[in-house]
Amino acid sequence: MATIAILIGTPNGTRLLAASVEREAAIMAEAVLFKVERDALPVPLWVQCGDAGIAGRLTRYLVELQTDLMAAGADRTPS
């Protein structure tokens, strides 16, 4: 079990999340990112973990999630 810290810079302030399980960390970070206005994305984030594999997976996932959210926001633009 690893200790995972995720720092997310949002327009409303910085959020620090901590978890001991990778999936729990992802769910908490998703909840923060889903609340960020689409035009404010991407926001900076840092993942810290003693296990480099976990840190890399979470970082890639959260960057890809932001990309998907930005694309979804563009799809919702009125024509």
Side-chain angles (χ1 to χ4, degrees), residues 19-55:
S20 58
V21 179
E22 187 173 356
R23 186 64 193 136
E24 178 186 7
I27 289 169
M28 289 189 298
E30 288 168 357
V32 172
L33 293 174
F34 284 135
K35 292 178 184 173
V36 175
E37 293 291 328
R38 299 302 166 247
D39 61 348
L41 292 172
V43 295
L45 61 89
W46 298 267
V47 178
Q48 196 74 49
C49 181
D51 183 322
I54 290 174

Side-chain angles (χ1 to χ4, degrees), residues 53-68:
I54 290 174
R57 278 192 305 275
L58 280 169
T59 299
R60 283 188 300 278
Y61 171 69
L62 296 172
V63 167
E64 289 173 7
L65 175 62
Q66 290 190 77
T67 301
D68 292 346

